[in-house]
Amino acid sequence: MLSEDVFQTIDQLIEKSIANKLMTRLDQRYVRNQILGLLKLDSFDETNYQSSNETVPALLDTLVTYAVDKNIIDNILSDKEILRAQIMNCFLSNPTEINQTFYQKYQVHPQAATDYFYKLSKSSNYIQTDRIAKNIHYKVASPYGDLDITINLSKPEKDLEQLKKEREMKQTIQYPQCVLCAENEGYIGHIGHPARSNHRIIEVPLDEEIWFLQYSPYVYYNEHCILLSSEHRPMKINRATFERLTGFVEKFPHYFMGSNADIPIVGGSILAHDHYQGGHYAFAMTKAKEKYPFPLATFPTVSASIVNWPLSVLRLRSQSKKDIIDAATFILGKWRNYNDPSVEIIAYSAETNHNTITPIARIRGQQFELDLILRNNRTTSTYPYGIFHPHEDVHHIKKENIGLIEAMGLAVLPPRLKKELGEIRAHLSNPKSPVASYHQSWVSQIKAQHSDINEQNVEQIISQELGKKFVRVLEDSGVFKSNLEGNEAFKRFIRTLNE
């Protein structure tokens, strides 16, 4: 690639960033010189500027390709990711200025603040919009409402050289302690740790602690954000959790905020760092109706009900933040120690606790609302992955933990399914076409239930059947099943709340 092509690309990237309000014309010389330094260029030749329809990620790819061609960086994923982030960092203000702008806009309206920060995170390429666009995403009707199905194709695959270097490298670096730590802000990164030069976070005081707001680099839904503790400490569900969640939605009433459970199997992927997830999105569970209202005698200002949802959900509402926190804390304490062996619920094995809650907070109208998803992570020889975990007959679709996002009705399915569903599609049209052995039983069920499968309807049939599988995943994860026995068991637990 010729140097003049690089100069043209740098100018185009600058113009895009001015248009996206990452910088002003006054910053142009400074930013250009910073990028020249990263690309080991000693001078800049003025070009006859030509506008470009290329996206910011595409322009970055051009500059990264130049750096690889000129041996400025190695042709491995980590080096390329680091350079992309460093280039975009040239356009970003420092954390103090970004926080000041955020809170200036907050004084106008909380949504103005998050709109600004979300746009900044996308424009700076921290949120990987081009990669997210590769995800397969659609909605499917179910008895519980319209569920979201996502096949996650956004994260780049590691090349063989990258994997080799990761194996060879002794990971002795303990900074940052994990990918959620606040110390990731501006961190260049290295093999085995993501590039974060263009990463910015917003300080949010909660419950007399400092927490930080950021967006997920690979958002699964609109404004998918992460709220993280300034301290690297394990996840824990307790009264302080409810105080922080309600405190956050009080500050940002257009967002929900929830926490993964705090124990393995039913918890999220990162239990070592206390954090929550939220955003500006209404999941199927958010829209789910209440099927069984009940009183909480000790908390007369709090309305309570069982939600019509495959997982076992209690919904609390109150205009009083203190009262709803008190009620949630009381229910958590009851559930932590609750046993009902008739439906496999046992609270403790020796000193190991199995019962916990996945809580979600939001403002609805003039009231605080808390959804409390009851979880249990006990295993048996029959269900070694978890009694209330996707059972083995759905592992060909989903084997991983059911955390906060999926518990609310958004399936995050593995990338292998894109290829495998294509094979199933071909097989349903032509039975001689091969399909993976672990999908054979499912394919036979699909054939039995749909006598007329053709090229016009095969896509819709597969989508519907995949949605049914996700419903099964959710139903497996519910501690009280949506049947007569489960409903009666759920009511037995409810009665303990008023004893």
Side-chain angles (χ1 to χ4, degrees):
M1 184 183 299
L2 299 174
S3 294
E4 50 265 32
D5 295 330
V6 173
F7 299 147
Q8 182 77 247
T9 303
I10 292 172
D11 270 349
Q12 290 167 345
L13 189 57
I14 286 172
E15 290 300 321
K16 292 279 185 185
S17 297
I18 291 173
N20 288 333
K21 298 183 179 179
L22 283 178
M23 56 178 282
T24 68
R25 192 71 60 187
L26 189 62
D27 302 316
Q28 185 170 351
R29 290 182 299 275
Y30 169 82
V31 170
R32 177 195 290 158
N33 287 334
Q34 292 296 302
I35 297 173
L36 291 177
L38 292 172
L39 297 176
K40 309 298 182 185
L41 291 165
D42 296 325
S43 62
F44 184 84
D45 291 340
E46 296 289 343
T47 61
N48 294 320
Y49 177 75
Q50 297 178 7
S51 62
S52 171
N53 291 324
E54 296 279 10
T55 63
V56 166
L59 294 171
L60 285 172
D61 286 344
T62 300
L63 297 180
V64 167
T65 299
Y66 171 84
V68 170
D69 290 346
K70 298 297 183 183
N71 296 315
I72 298 166
I73 61 172
D74 289 336
N75 188 20
I76 60 173
L77 179 63
S78 59
D79 282 15
K80 291 186 282 189
E81 295 288 89
I82 286 170
L83 182 58
R84 284 189 184 93
Q86 285 182 307
I87 290 172
M88 290 313 300
N89 185 50
C90 298
F91 298 97
L92 282 170
S93 299
N94 63 43
T96 296
E97 292 172 354
I98 289 172
N99 274 260
Q100 286 175 345
T101 302
F102 181 91
Y103 280 107
Q104 285 169 1
K105 293 182 180 294
Y106 183 88
Q107 296 305 313
V108 177
H109 196 279
Q111 189 165 343
T114 55
D115 284 351
Y116 153 75
F117 189 43
Y118 191 55
K119 184 176 186 299
L120 177 84
S121 300
K122 290 191 293 185
S123 299
S124 65
N125 203 49
Y126 177 73
I127 295 177
Q128 303 281 338
T129 53
D130 62 323
R131 295 173 181 172
I132 295 162
K134 298 175 183 177
N135 289 346
I136 296 171
H137 184 219
Y138 63 91
K139 288 184 179 289
V140 62
S142 84
Y144 305 99
D146 290 341
L147 304 176
D148 291 291
I149 306 294
T150 297
I151 298 177
N152 182 17
L153 304 170
S154 55
K155 293 186 179 180
E157 292 186 20
K158 296 179 180 181
D159 52 71
L160 293 176
E161 188 62 26
Q162 173 80 23
L163 292 170
K164 177 184 175 184
K165 291 204 171 189
E166 287 188 12
R167 286 194 298 268
E168 291 174 348
M169 183 177 179
K170 293 181 179 179
Q171 295 292 341
T172 57
I173 302 171
Q174 299 298 317
Y175 177 92
Q177 288 179 266
C178 77
V179 294
L180 287 181
C181 284
E183 286 75 17
N184 282 279
E185 185 177 34
Y187 188 65
I188 290 176
H190 55 79
I191 291 175
H193 193 96
R196 290 291 182 259
S197 294
N198 58 336
H199 178 37
R200 299 293 185 271
I201 56 180
I202 300 296
E203 186 175 300
V204 180
L206 286 174
D207 189 29
E208 299 182 350
E209 291 185 342
I210 296 299
W211 285 62
F212 293 101
L213 178 69
Q214 68 178 62
Y215 289 102
S216 169
Y218 296 98
V219 293
Y220 290 131
Y221 52 86
N222 187 48
E223 297 178 52
H224 177 186
C225 62
I226 298 169
L227 189 63
L228 55 102
S229 169
S230 57
E231 179 186 349
H232 180 78
R233 66 190 185 204
M235 294 280 294
K236 187 65 180 173
I237 304 297
N238 52 26
R239 181 185 181 87
T241 307
F242 305 133
E243 291 174 339
R244 296 183 200 112
L245 295 179
T246 53
F248 181 87
V249 297
E250 188 174 33
K251 291 174 183 284
F252 300 95
H254 58 297
Y255 273 13
F256 79 89
M257 188 57 67
S259 175
N260 274 304
D262 53 352
I263 55 178
I265 298 177
V266 296
S269 57
I270 302 177
L271 296 179
H273 194 116
D274 207 1
H275 72 285
Y276 312 130
Q277 294 184 77
H280 196 179
Y281 190 71
F283 293 87
M285 195 188 82
T286 311
K287 302 173 186 178
K289 303 297 183 184
E290 290 129 25
K291 68 178 181 180
Y292 180 69
F294 61 90
L296 284 173
T298 315
F299 308 97
T301 68
V302 179
S303 66
S305 60
I306 296 174
V307 179
N308 184 30
W309 190 247
L311 277 83
S312 306
V313 184
L314 297 178
R315 179 165 291 167
L316 308 181
R317 286 180 179 154
S318 179
Q319 289 187 335
S320 167
K321 184 169 73 167
K322 179 183 181 301
D323 289 354
I324 201 170
I325 290 169
D326 287 345
T329 305
F330 171 76
I331 291 170
L332 174 64
K334 285 284 191 177
W335 176 246
R336 287 275 193 203
N337 299 290
Y338 185 72
N339 294 285
D340 189 342
S342 70
V343 288
E344 300 289 354
I345 295 171
I346 297 175
Y348 284 90
S349 297
E351 299 298 315
T352 302
N353 174 239
H354 296 301
N355 288 351
T356 189
I357 280 176
T358 297
I360 301 98
R362 63 184 74 90
I363 301 287
R364 201 188 293 260
Q366 301 300 311
Q367 293 184 310
F368 290 94
E369 184 172 275
L370 271 174
D371 282 350
L372 307 178
I373 308 176
L374 306 180
R375 312 300 300 271
N376 176 290
N377 77 341
R378 199 164 68 89
T379 62
T380 63
S381 57
T382 305
Y383 298 112
Y385 296 98
I387 301 171
F388 306 107
H389 176 84
H391 293 169
E392 290 191 50
D393 61 323
V394 296
H395 284 183
H396 66 110
I397 295 297
K398 180 69 176 176
K399 184 177 180 179
E400 297 79 13
N401 293 6
I402 301 306
L404 171 70
I405 295 171
E406 283 156 323
M408 297 180 72
L410 191 158
V412 182
L413 302 178
R416 63 176 171 82
L417 282 179
K418 179 183 179 182
K419 177 176 179 289
E420 292 172 8
L421 291 177
E423 292 170 349
I424 291 171
R425 190 182 304 111
H427 177 83
L428 292 174
S429 300
N430 176 14
K432 292 183 179 180
S433 184
V435 65
S437 59
Y438 46 83
H439 288 310
Q440 288 285 358
S441 177
W442 185 41
V443 169
S444 297
Q445 291 174 12
I446 293 174
K447 287 179 179 178
Q449 293 169 6
H450 301 274
S451 57
D452 181 25
I453 301 175
N454 53 58
E455 291 184 2
Q456 284 70 44
N457 65 16
V458 66
E459 190 73 42
Q460 183 181 9
I461 287 171
I462 291 174
S463 296
Q464 289 172 344
E465 295 299 325
L466 192 61
K468 290 177 184 177
K469 280 287 182 179
F470 182 51
V471 169
R472 262 291 317 282
V473 164
L474 296 179
E475 289 174 340
D476 285 350
S477 304
V479 294
F480 297 114
K481 305 305 180 187
S482 299
N483 54 30
L484 181 61
E485 181 187 26
N487 289 336
E488 289 303 312
F490 207 161
K491 289 177 183 177
R492 285 198 295 274
F493 172 66
I494 297 303
R495 285 196 289 273
T496 70
L497 302 179
N498 289 310
E499 290 176 353

